Amino acid sequence: MSSTSTDGKLTANFEGVNNLHENFLQGMNLAGENADYLGYRPQDKDGKFGPYKWFTFKQVKEKATTVGSGLAKLGAAPQSCIGIFSPNCIEWSLVEHASYIYNQITVPMYDTLGMDAIKHMTMETEMTLLVIAPEKLSMFSQIWPQLPLVRTVVILGDVSEEARAGVPEGARLVSFDEVIALGNEGGLAPLPETVAGPQDICTICYTSGTTGTPKGVVLTHMCFLSSAHGVKQRIRQGFVPTLDNSDVHLSILPLAHCLERSVHAILTSNGTRIGFNQ
């Protein structure tokens, strides 16, 4: 009998791993909670990048829970859509892991499609909250007044007075640090009554739109769990080299595409380190 089947039926995830947060916990158990997990190169005041700074699995879990709490307090309900308009960075992954804990849906966005496509993604998913890189804010501000459902934008940096002045009436612009502070204020927001299941939507990835308007591909937790499960089985069978915390992946491919998201899920389940490029 195949090692990927049980009683003649194919298995797509490991027992006890029914969502991507549990996939993370599996990797943390393998590597140890104090093992390094996510890394980046801090930039000094002169613009020079230093050596990698690493966050452990435990630190990422705590930080992601706090971020998720803050987003929930800002109105991000379970199975609601959170946009992420940013290049790869550690904050991208923190928001992603927060969404797994609080059972929200991420909608990655990339500006190479044009702002009309960004507007389409935002409206089609009925997005009310968007996380954005500082360098993307000015272009998004041009269409923000046309998106009445987007009431909250979280910027991955400081909020200037000029930026605040451009916020549409009734909307708000908050910094990532403010989200973290809100998450801790008065205790963490309650976790959702129902944790994410394997068939719950975890992300909506949009196509490149080469044949017309970009189309949202709805992906469940199981879509990524099956990739992680398949690779683990191949490792056990000797077809794929072993992965563990001694390995480091340099995250270059955009997280707005499902390939890099799948790679992260696979590496995370094996307790592997992930470093972000600059």
Side-chain angles (χ1 to χ4, degrees), residues 94-107:
L94 288 174
V95 172
E96 177 188 24
H97 285 289
S99 74
Y100 299 155
I101 296 170
Y102 279 85
N103 195 11
Q104 296 143 348
I105 302 168
T106 55
V107 183

Side-chain angles (χ1 to χ4, degrees), residues 64 70 128 130 167 192 260 276:
T128 61
L130 172 67
V167 176
E260 186 70 359
F276 292 96

Side-chain angles (χ1 to χ4, degrees), residues 33-171:
E33 64 176 18
N34 294 317
D36 290 338
Y37 174 44
L38 297 180
Y40 74 105
R41 296 177 63 194
Q43 189 175 18
D44 64 22
K45 61 182 180 180
D46 297 322
K48 296 181 180 179
F49 292 101
Y52 267 88
K53 176 181 179 181
W54 290 93
F55 288 90
T56 66
F57 277 88
K58 180 180 179 181
Q59 289 171 324
V60 170
K61 179 176 179 287
E62 292 173 348
K63 184 77 75 174
T65 303
T66 303
V67 170
S69 170
L71 295 176
K73 291 177 181 180
L74 287 171
Q79 286 294 284
S80 66
C81 290
I82 297 175
I84 306 180
F85 190 12
S86 169
N88 294 13
C89 60
I90 196 165
E91 292 85 1
W92 208 114
S93 278
L94 288 174
V95 172
E96 177 188 24
H97 285 289
S99 74
Y100 299 155
I101 296 170
Y102 279 85
N103 195 11
Q104 296 143 348
I105 302 168
T106 55
V107 183
M109 311 164 92
Y110 41 105
D111 53 7
T112 54
L113 299 181
M115 294 314 293
D116 285 342
I118 297 295
K119 182 178 177 182
H120 166 71
M121 296 177 200
T122 305
M123 295 176 66
E124 186 171 66
T125 59
E126 299 182 348
M127 187 187 301
T128 61
L129 190 151
L130 172 67
V131 178
I132 194 167
E135 66 271 20
K136 308 293 186 185
L137 182 61
S138 60
M139 64 179 76
F140 180 77
S141 295
Q142 298 173 20
I143 63 170
W144 194 358
Q146 305 168 43
L147 301 169
L149 289 180
V150 181
R151 309 318 299 158
T152 305
V153 170
V154 176
I155 186 170
L156 301 177
D158 297 326
V159 181
S160 67
E161 290 304 316
E162 181 183 1
R164 289 193 192 276
V167 176
E169 185 177 354

Side-chain angles (χ1 to χ4, degrees), residues 202-244:
C202 74
T203 193
I204 301 176
C205 285
Y206 275 81
T207 63
S208 61
T210 52
T211 58
T213 303
K215 299 169 181 64
V217 180
V218 179
L219 299 171
T220 65
H221 285 261
M222 183 58 82
C223 291
F224 295 97
L225 292 177
S226 61
S227 295
H229 179 265
V231 170
K232 272 183 176 281
Q233 293 290 7
R234 286 305 188 185
I235 289 174
R236 291 177 177 180
Q237 294 164 353
F239 294 110
V240 176
T242 301
L243 291 168
D244 57 35

